[in-house]
Amino acid sequence: MDSLKILKEVFGYDSFQGEQQKIIDSITSGNDTLVLMPTGGGKSLCYQIPCLMLDGVGIVVSPLIALMQDQVSTLKGLGVKAEYLNSSLDYNTRDMILSRVRNGDIDLLYMAPEGLLRPGFSQSFEGVKIALFAIDEAHCVSQWGHDFRPEYLRLAELMNQFPKAKTIALTATADQKTRVEMINKLQLESPNIFISSFDRPNIEYRVESKGKTNQQLYSFIKNEHKDDTGIVYCLSRKKVEKTAQFLKDKGFNAYAYHAGLPHQERNKNQKIFLSQDSIIMVATIAFGMGIDKPDVRFVAHLDLPSSLEAYYQETGRAGRDSLPSTAWMIYGIQDVVLRRRMIDGGEGASDYKKVSHQKLNDILAFCETTTCRRKIILKYFDEDRKENCNYCDTCLHPVEQIDGSLYAQKLLSCIYRTEQNFGSGHVIDVLLGKMSEKVMRFNHDRLSTYGIGDDLDEFAWKSIIRQLVVHGHLKIHNEFSSLIFTDSSKAILSGKLKFFVRKDIKETKKEKTKKTKKVNAVDMSKDLSFEQKGLFDTIKNWRTEKSKELGIPAYRVLSNKSLMSLVDLKPQTSEELYEVYGIGGAKVQEFGAEILGFFE
Ligand code: ADP
Ligand code: ZN
């Protein structure tokens, strides 16, 4: 039977999609074939139809047992002679299937890779005619990839024992490097290579900066996908459970999925997800490979994935039915710190770690881009797209850039003054002139950079740090997460190199900043009025006494800037005291009454 007829009569479709026809022709005319097609592109038919056309049994290698059962039962429903062999079967069933294979009574046999490598596999197939080997999720062969399966490395050995059977390898995720690896490791012989466009035009890509994670997620779902099905990815099992509970409490139909759950519960949740509408699966990356649910309307990432491939594969689970869908992610500087730590603390050779850092840099560049996100993704998969997509956040709401050199200089000099020994949290505290415990411990309120950053708020500074890191003007120390200089930091400091930032940092300015600004806007060089001068000296004397009494340096009682701020604002109540520069809860409690005494 020819392929089109099978397509119509068995699968009930009218015509082939994309390059399906050519791919089928390639393998059925005896060529090794490599297929790169995005999720939902229709890979399965590319090997299923040839199995029905060619003599013998087609062996389909797939890494996921759940997926296998699903596909086989779908095929059986279409009247195809398909079975699977994996560890879930008992001995008798296995034996029965194998004897049917030997009798030529099966056209498609799905197998987990470990099963194929069992001793005795090739003997049990002696004399059996094998039509082809189909290696699904073939990127699992890549040691640098996120789905590496060691068993995949030995597939070539096995296929070599059946030299007549050709191999078709398929994947949805492949950069140039993985492509070469698949060909080499699977020993494909001058394969025909089919690369479909990786574009998923119906998915809108959006990245926002991380604030209050749960609230952000809640408003995203409530405002845009209230009754929709979606997947929420988190990095840790604990966060999966907490987030699922949060969504349940908010009245959503949410389930959790991660590798730490008992096998039965995991399977049950997956089944529920596949069969219900308006359902949200909160999961780690353990969930999703091969999930064929067409109407997933959104994929939300609460943590940064390890690479653009991982991100694209996970977001690719949205919108398989071609209807509008959203890929929504929030990320923050803490993600960068965590990911770097995971890479450095993980196992693996140093060149593996180097590749992992590079992959992380690529996805960070994607997050911080001011240009079309789709272009960046496609470029990553070696596809050059000229036009903007008009269906990603940066296209829909263009990000204006402004010269942020001055901000960068403030930040870098603050990092320099604190001797490149601190992480973003503390550096920002110093910039904002906060009186944190650490600031006091290290006397950082005495630095010339203390409080010079009060023209922006914390979120804006975080964003600037991220942008500097992404563009390589700052590094995060692997072990201590401290911010350190790179080769280009000094060029920015000295003004030789300009640094542009997303304009939205301005808009993130909060009310609070204005307040701080008012309080902070104490000009040390400003002449004090006679009355103020008197007050200043009185409080200063009190400060000296206090410092002797407590055995701590005077500035630890109150800094000069705080003194200036005090005589400027003349607080009357403890609430007003909080407005004073460098005075927080602890100081109000310790000295509040005494200080207020000066203003009665
Ligand atoms: P992939 O494995 O590439 O992610 P699938 O093989 O699961 O994608 O196919 C995705 C969806 O597209 C499935 O629902 C499939 O039935 C459908 N499909 C594939 N080829 C065709 C076709 N030629 N015509 C119509 N629908 C198709
Ligand atoms: Zn775009």
Side-chain angles (χ1 to χ4, degrees):
M1 231 200 284
D2 78 357
S3 52
L4 189 61
K5 204 156 176 223
I6 296 180
L7 179 75
K8 285 184 183 161
E9 290 182 7
V10 179
F11 295 92
Y13 298 134
D14 287 337
S15 56
F16 284 112
Q17 257 169 214
E19 297 197 281
Q20 283 176 328
Q21 174 85 72
K22 285 189 198 150
I23 295 165
I24 292 169
D25 290 346
S26 161
I27 183 82
T28 51
S29 55
N31 297 292
D32 279 348
T33 305
L34 178 64
V35 177
L36 312 173
M37 208 186 260
T39 313
K43 283 186 287 301
S44 322
L45 288 183
C46 297
Y47 57 83
Q48 286 167 346
I49 291 182
C51 291
L52 299 181
M53 292 169 71
L54 296 171
D55 252 1
V57 57
I59 307 279
V60 183
V61 180
S62 170
L64 270 185
I65 293 185
L67 167 69
M68 229 178 256
Q69 293 171 341
D70 226 49
Q71 290 222 356
V72 167
S73 61
T74 308
L75 287 169
K76 281 181 167 172
L78 297 171
V80 174
K81 291 185 222 159
E83 292 294 344
Y84 62 84
L85 280 183
N86 63 36
S87 53
S88 71
L89 300 180
D90 60 42
Y91 182 80
N92 284 343
T93 320
R94 278 181 70 85
D95 215 37
M96 209 165 66
I97 292 174
L98 278 171
S99 79
R100 279 181 59 204
V101 167
R102 273 184 232 107
N103 292 333
D105 187 36
I106 288 178
D107 286 322
L108 268 111
L109 185 66
Y110 281 75
M111 296 192 67
E114 50 276 18
L116 283 168
L117 300 170
R118 240 183 232 144
F121 170 84
S122 31
Q123 282 92 310
S124 49
F125 279 75
E126 233 158 67
V128 170
K129 181 145 197 206
I130 294 186
L132 58 85
F133 286 100
I135 315 294
D136 203 6
E137 312 286 357
H139 63 280
C140 292
V141 82
S142 164
Q143 271 163 292
W144 310 125
H146 52 287
D147 286 330
F148 176 52
R149 309 251 167 163
E151 312 88 74
Y152 265 63
L153 288 179
R154 293 187 47 212
L155 285 175
E157 225 173 282
L158 175 92
M159 295 184 300
N160 285 339
Q161 296 176 20
F162 302 88
K164 285 209 188 104
K166 292 296 166 192
T167 300
I168 174 169
L170 310 100
T171 180
T173 55
D175 51 31
Q176 190 64 36
K177 203 171 154 170
T178 320
R179 243 170 250 182
V180 175
E181 253 192 304
M182 285 187 293
I183 296 174
N184 291 339
K185 301 266 167 62
L186 295 173
Q187 297 179 20
L188 301 184
E189 224 176 293
S190 343
N192 290 330
I193 302 177
F194 296 90
I195 303 174
S196 311
S197 170
F198 269 64
D199 192 14
R200 297 291 310 280
N202 59 316
I203 300 181
E204 181 190 351
Y205 297 97
R206 277 162 44 193
V207 181
E208 291 171 16
S209 64
K210 196 183 273 190
K212 292 202 163 74
T213 309
N214 277 350
Q215 280 313 318
Q216 284 174 293
L217 176 69
Y218 176 61
S219 15
F220 165 68
I221 300 179
K222 191 180 73 152
N223 297 334
E224 301 180 44
H225 291 287
K226 201 161 152 273
D227 298 311
D228 288 341
T229 288
I231 304 174
V232 178
Y233 280 111
C234 307
L235 192 58
S236 71
R237 298 170 183 188
K238 208 162 127 200
K239 188 156 166 187
V240 163
E241 285 178 6
K242 278 194 174 153
T243 309
Q245 191 56 49
F246 168 78
L247 289 176
K248 274 186 213 159
D249 293 344
K250 290 282 182 191
F252 291 102
N253 184 23
Y255 288 81
Y257 187 105
H258 60 70
L261 290 176
H263 196 65
Q264 274 181 331
E265 190 176 343
R266 245 191 297 163
N267 279 352
K268 194 188 83 197
N269 289 357
Q270 173 162 331
K271 280 214 173 92
I272 295 175
F273 179 77
L274 289 174
S275 60
Q276 289 187 6
D277 288 333
S278 306
I279 182 166
I280 299 173
M281 185 65 103
V282 185
T284 60
I285 52 167
F287 176 75
M289 206 202 265
I291 291 294
D292 184 8
K293 191 172 170 72
D295 57 351
V296 175
R297 288 277 70 83
F298 68 90
V299 170
H301 279 95
L302 301 191
D303 296 299
L304 183 75
S306 60
S307 67
L308 264 180
E309 287 127 283
Y311 169 78
Y312 206 50
Q313 195 175 46
E314 283 148 25
T315 54
R317 288 165 192 146
R320 293 174 67 128
D321 54 7
S322 305
L323 295 173
S325 312
T326 320
W328 180 84
M329 168 157 79
I330 49 174
Y331 102 109
I333 191 79
Q334 62 274 41
D335 286 296
V336 187
V337 172
L338 187 64
R339 279 287 174 193
R340 293 241 187 269
R341 265 199 213 142
M342 282 168 72
I343 296 172
D344 290 315
E347 287 172 13
S350 69
D351 48 350
Y352 174 75
K353 292 185 176 174
K354 216 169 123 196
V355 174
S356 306
H357 278 298
Q358 185 51 48
K359 290 190 170 191
L360 183 57
N361 291 342
D362 289 337
I363 190 168
L364 288 175
F366 165 80
C367 291
E368 290 295 345
T369 188
T370 49
T371 61
C372 173
R373 294 203 195 275
R374 198 175 310 268
K375 272 194 195 166
I376 299 208
I377 295 174
L378 292 177
K379 181 126 189 25
Y380 187 78
F381 294 109
D382 287 323
E383 220 175 302
D384 241 331
R385 162 77 72 109
K386 299 275 180 301
E387 332 76 62
N388 286 340
C389 76
N390 290 323
Y391 201 46
C392 70
D393 51 2
T394 43
C395 279
L396 294 170
H397 311 282
V399 189
E400 244 184 280
Q401 286 188 297
I402 51 167
D403 185 349
S405 306
L406 194 64
Y407 297 132
Q409 286 165 352
K410 283 185 180 183
L411 182 90
L412 290 171
S413 42
C414 194
I415 290 169
Y416 187 74
R417 297 262 179 253
T418 51
E419 294 171 21
Q420 309 184 44
N421 269 333
F422 297 87
S424 55
H426 180 68
V427 170
I428 294 174
D429 277 354
V430 176
L431 276 170
L432 293 179
K434 287 200 180 156
M435 257 303 166
S436 70
E437 183 273 330
K438 229 180 191 171
V439 167
M440 304 218 283
R441 181 147 44 100
F442 292 97
N443 296 340
H444 282 166
D445 57 331
R446 289 197 287 176
L447 296 175
S448 57
T449 52
Y450 184 69
I452 57 165
D454 57 5
D455 42 354
L456 294 179
D457 71 2
E458 188 186 335
F459 289 100
W461 283 117
K462 279 188 180 163
S463 165
I464 289 181
I465 293 177
R466 285 199 311 263
Q467 294 178 60
L468 281 165
V469 169
V470 163
H471 292 105
H473 304 314
L474 254 190
K475 266 195 315 205
I476 297 175
H477 187 285
N478 296 340
E479 219 173 315
F480 309 113
S481 320
S482 41
L483 296 168
I484 46 180
F485 276 20
T486 66
D487 293 341
S488 53
S489 310
K490 287 244 161 89
I492 291 183
L493 255 183
S494 66
K496 282 200 194 107
L497 188 64
K498 281 212 175 304
F499 178 66
F500 287 88
V501 288
R502 303 168 67 110
K503 194 181 170 195
D504 49 10
I505 57 144
K506 277 264 171 197
E507 292 157 6
T508 56
K509 263 173 87 168
K510 295 269 157 28
E511 270 306 292
K512 205 168 108 218
T513 316
K514 282 196 203 122
K515 217 153 75 183
T516 337
K517 187 162 178 184
K518 185 191 92 203
V519 178
N520 281 359
V522 184
D523 183 356
M524 297 291 275
S525 64
K526 185 174 78 176
D527 282 337
L528 297 174
S529 69
F530 183 75
E531 181 214 14
Q532 280 177 322
K533 182 87 177 68
L535 255 176
F536 186 91
D537 289 338
T538 316
I539 305 176
K540 202 169 161 200
N541 288 338
W542 166 83
R543 182 178 73 171
T544 314
E545 291 305 312
K546 238 350 176 244
S547 85
K548 279 190 201 144
E549 183 188 320
L550 299 172
I552 55 171
Y555 66 87
R556 289 267 297 271
V557 179
L558 282 181
S559 69
N560 280 347
K561 245 177 139 176
S562 297
L563 291 187
M564 295 294 279
S565 176
L566 265 176
V567 298
D568 197 36
L569 293 174
K570 301 197 188 69
Q572 301 297 312
T573 62
S574 358
E575 278 80 60
E576 287 175 14
L577 256 186
Y578 279 99
E579 301 272 298
V580 174
Y581 180 87
I583 292 189
K587 286 208 191 293
V588 170
Q589 210 167 29
E590 201 172 356
F591 309 124
E594 284 177 75
I595 296 174
L596 287 174
F598 294 113
F599 299 99
E600 276 166 1

